[in-house]
Structures are given as structure tokens and as C-alpha cells.
Amino acid sequence: MDTAETRDNVTLGEGSSDAVLSLRDVSVLFNNKAAVRNATFDVQANKVTSLIGPSGSGKTTLLRAMNRLHELTPGATVTGQILLEGEDLYRTSVPITVLRSRIGMVFQRPNPFPTMSIYDNAVAGLRFIGVKDKDFLEESAHKALSEAALWDSVKDRLKAPAATLSGGEQQRLCIARAMAVEPEVLLMDEPTASLDPVATKQIEELVTVLKQFVTIVIVTHNMQQANRVSDNCAFLLMAEDRTGELIEFDTTEKIFNDPKDSRTLDYTLGRFG
Amino acid sequence: MSSQERREFIRTTSAKSYRRRALSSRVFTALLVIALLIAFVPLASILQNVVGHGIRYITWHFLTTSQQLPSITNTNGIGGIGNALAGTAVVDLIAVLISIPTAIVLAMAMFEIKGRWVVAVRTAMETFIGLPSIVFGVFTYVSLVVTTHQYHAYFGSLALCFIMIPVMTINALAALQSVPDTLIEAGLSLGLRPSRVMLHIILPAARARVFTGVFLAFSRAVGETAPILFVIGASTLPGFNPSGQATTLPTLMWSYLIGAYPSQREACWGIALVLMVTVLFFNVLSRIFVARTQRS
Ligand SMILES: Nc1ncnc2c1ncn2[C@@H]1O[C@H](COP(=O)(O)OP(=O)(O)O)[C@@H](O)[C@H]1O
Ligand SMILES: [Mg+2]
């Protein structure tokens, strides 16, 4: 893919053919007070898109909107459009459960199902959507755990409780669990925030490998991480009224080396936030 | 199988099973609605009856004047329930003042002293909760009324304590135990003594749930008749003296139900309505209180 062309698509915002997720004027409100306002950008297929910005700028809020997770929060509303391959997530007739299985999510703290074994965790999503074929499940577990770079260390203890894994391994198990249902998009909310540097590095490497299978959106407050792993980058900042705004969206290269907005430069240079 | 084929297979399986899952979801929702109706219909009819029959009693006169014994010449002269309202206030207030601190201290002790006897106490309390309340009435009667040959309002309060303390303690203990260990460890790591951690960290974090238990126990106690029936005597005077005899709303209702005059039996609807509104009032109050505490 030609970078210049990509950039044009991104800057134009509209109609880039390889956009898996398109956000159009997305705002998220809690009890009628906006937490994020008017975000518009495209998440391109098989790329890593990072959301960066200071604490409270609405990164998590925006990410959760992409999986309709705000529906569980009373008083939360999402306006604007989020298109998954052209289909409006919030106005489609496709049931929410089916949609969510196309958009995986990995959370800030590893959250494997505590009562399940490693294997059961890996295939939990498949079982829930009705896959019964034992061979298929085993193959999926193998595939997903390998994709998550976990297979070699757990292949001899698949029946062990997931809680026996280390923090980093638990997070990779959560990635495997999400990957097993073959989602088109994988949303990650600061997936390394609770991990040590070695485990963090492993997850980062994983992200760059995984993008050949799945489109990734990753929230991070670590700018080096955004710089290392992402292709495109969205920078959010709190406005005067404490509402998060999308300041700039571009290729990660541009954001870190030649941003259009001086606030982006200040932030990436560590001058505030 | 290629990745694309796997994805296709998973999507088709999901779509196929979705119809089944949606159907079973609808079936279970329907079952829940039916269960709700089964629970709701008797409740609604009780409400309708109590309000329908009782509302005409709700007058200033009924609420404030003391009860009266009707006579052959004035079979409707039953007076009001002022004395019973006052009695309920006194008996329940004393009971609450004793049981809240007792229960919280007990819960804190059981939380700190982990061990076998705690399990024993806990089991005993859970058994207490399950006992019919008349047992506590008989116990208080035998141990206090029979030995002192007197009836007192505060004997009734004590009997209510037997009902409230186990409920409050078990709830408070569960509330304390629900406080995350990390908070406790954060407190300890600052060099706080365990007692300070308890008072300044665990208890405040658990307070919404502790008070839920308190109100739960209280609403149960307000309506209790059996435990206090034998021990508070009966008084037609609207006194607030806890060492005197007293009448509460539930005991008045009981004596009217077996009373000789139809006017007395009819007035039970009015008492029931007042009792119901009182319990409702405290439940709403507790909801508001708990919501407030959780928000801050
Ligand atoms: N469930 C919620 N109810 C009310 N406000 C919320 C909720 N979730 C997030 N917010 C608000 O949204 C803003 C952005 O939060 P968040 O998305 O978590 O920021 P970030 O992930 O960038 O640190 C915060 O100011 C927060 O107060
Ligand atoms: Mg966040």
C-alpha cells in the first residue's frame, strides 16, 4: 500500500475502500454530558490503529463504542455513525451478539474466565456461538493459542486452570480467546498496562504479527508503544469543557514526526499530559 | 481449512445457532415474565385490599388518639392508634439503638478473628435467622417476664434485637468481606494499625452494604408481632416510657383481630395500611440512603 495514497484517504476521511471500521462524527455522552465529541476517522484493514492521549481524553470510551459496550451503562448514549464494513453498527438489523463476535476485545487487565481451564477459555467464544465439532474446537484452540504465542508454553497443561498462568500469559490467553472466533477487528484497551516490560514486549510483537489476520485498534498511553506498533494514530485531547476531542488522525509516522497540530507535537514530545 | 474458510464456518454456525439461541432466550424471558406475574398478582391483590379497606381510616383522629374499648352503647368507639404508633416508635427505636452497634462490632470481630469459632457463631446466627420469631418471644417471656413478674416496652425491644442482630451481623460481615484485599493491603502498607484500617478503610468502603442490611433487618422487625406480644403487656396510654407497658401496631392488630367487636376487626385494615406505609417509607429511605453513599 502506497503511504501517500493511504494518507490521502485518511485525511479525506471518506470512502477509503479498505476501511473496516469507519467512525463518522461519533460522540459518546454520559447523562447528557459528552465524554468524547465528534470523532471521525477510518480504521484500515490489516493495520494497527492506535488511540493516544492523556488520561481522561476518552480513549477507552471511544473504543468501547466500537463494540457497543456502552449499552450496558445506564445514561450512556452514542451518536454519529460507526460502520463495520459499511454497515452501521448502531442501526443494523443484525443482532448485537452476532456483531460483537466479529469485533473482539482485550481489556486493560487480563480477565480469563477464572473457573475455566486454559483450553476452555480459548474455545469459550466458539462454544457460546454453538460450535460443537470437537476436532474443529481443538484445531481452533491450537491455532488461536499459537497466534497468541502461547501454544508452546501451555500445550502440556491445557486442562490447568487459567488462573495458574502469569499475568502476561493470561493476557495472551485473552488474545487467543478473542482470536478464536476469527473476528475482523480486535479492540485492545491498554493491553500491557498491568504487565512487566518483558511481557509488554511480547504483546507488542504479537500485535505486529496479528495484524495479518485481524485489524487492530489499540489504546495506549505509552507513546513509544504507539510509535512501535501502530500504522495509523489518533490523538485525543480534553477540550476546555473536559470533553475529549480528536485533535489529529494520520499515519503514525506523520503524527510523531510531522504533525499538523502543535498540541500533537507537544504531547508526543512529552511536554504535557 | 484456510483462515477464510474457518471464518465462514464460524459465521454460519453462529447465524444458525443464533435463531435457536434467540428462541430459547425468548422462551426464558417469557418464563420470567410468567414468574413475575405469579409473584405480582397476589401482591397486587393484597395491596388493593389493604388500601381499599384501610384508606378510610387514615384520618388525623385515627393516627393521633389512643385506642378505646367499644361499649354496647358505642360499638364503633374504638378511638385511634396513637398509643400503638408511639409504642412502635419507642420499642423499635430502642431495639435499633441496641442492635446496630452490637451487630457492627460483632461483624468486625468476626471479620478480624478468622477461625473455627467464627464459623460456629456464623452458623448459629444463620440458624437464628431461620427460627420462627415466636421462639424469641417465648424465650424473652420465660427469662424476663416470668422472673420479674413485669411487662416492659424494652423487653419487646430486646426480643426484636434477637431478630435483628443476626440479620444485621451476617449482612455486615458479608459487606466487610466484599472490600477488596488490595485496599486493606494499601492501608497496612502505610503503617496503619489493623484497627485503624478497619475503622478508616474497610468500614467506610462497606458502609452502603452494611446499611442495606440494617434497613433490611429493621423493616422485618417493624412488622413483628410474635416476639413482643407476650412481653410488653398492653397499654392504652400514648406513653413514651420504655419501662412502662406498651402497645405496638402489630400487637394492637393482633388484639383487634381477636376482639369482640366488628369495628375492631374492621380497623385492622387501617392498622395494616399504616404498617405497610411505614415499612415502605423506611425501604425507600434506605434506597435513597444507599444510593447517596455509593455515589460519594
Ligand atoms: N461510565 C461512565 N459514566 C460517566 N462518565 C464516564 C464513564 N466512563 C467514562 N466516563 C468519563 O469519560 C471521560 C473519558 O474517560 P476514559 O474514556 O476512561 O478516558 P481514557 O481511557 O482516555 O483515560 C472521563 O472524564 C470519565 O469521567
Ligand atoms: Mg482508559
Side-chain angles (χ1 to χ4, degrees), chain B residues 182-246:
Chain B
T182 51
L183 274 187
I184 300 170
E185 284 164 5
L188 290 173
S189 71
L190 288 172
L192 296 185
R193 273 177 286 126
S195 58
R196 306 229 104 199
V197 172
M198 171 56 83
L199 286 180
H200 295 282
I201 294 168
I202 307 179
L203 206 53
R207 67 181 192 270
R209 288 189 57 180
V210 169
F211 273 100
T212 311
V214 165
F215 278 108
L216 209 70
F218 178 67
S219 344
R220 191 180 150 192
V222 173
E224 282 290 354
T225 321
I228 50 182
L229 194 57
F230 311 128
V231 299
I232 61 170
S235 164
T236 54
L237 304 171
F240 284 96
N241 175 13
S243 63
Q245 300 193 5

Side-chain angles (χ1 to χ4, degrees), chain A residues 95 97 102 126 129-130 136 139-140 143 181-184 213, chain B residues 1-3 6-7 9-11 13-15 17-18 20-21:
Chain A
T97 47
R102 293 173 59 188
L126 290 172
I129 60 176
F136 188 86
E139 199 189 315
S140 302
K143 180 166 182 282
V181 290
E182 303 279 350
E184 281 129 85
F213 310 113
Chain B
M1 227 190 254
S2 79
S3 223
R6 298 179 60 82
R7 191 172 276 177
F9 174 76
I10 292 169
R11 296 287 178 270
T13 314
S14 173
S17 79
Y18 177 77
R20 184 175 46 75
R21 286 180 290 147

Side-chain angles (χ1 to χ4, degrees), chain A residues 229-242:
Chain A
V229 304
S230 71
D231 303 291
N232 295 320
C233 182
F235 172 56
L236 285 88
L237 194 59
M238 250 190 281
E240 308 254 285
D241 61 351
R242 307 194 57 77

Side-chain angles (χ1 to χ4, degrees), chain A residues 24-46:
Chain A
R24 294 283 167 269
D25 228 11
V26 176
S27 301
V28 184
L29 299 91
F30 295 107
N31 303 313
N32 296 321
K33 197 206 161 295
V36 186
R37 181 165 47 216
N38 302 2
T40 297
F41 62 88
D42 280 349
V43 176
Q44 289 177 298
N46 297 97

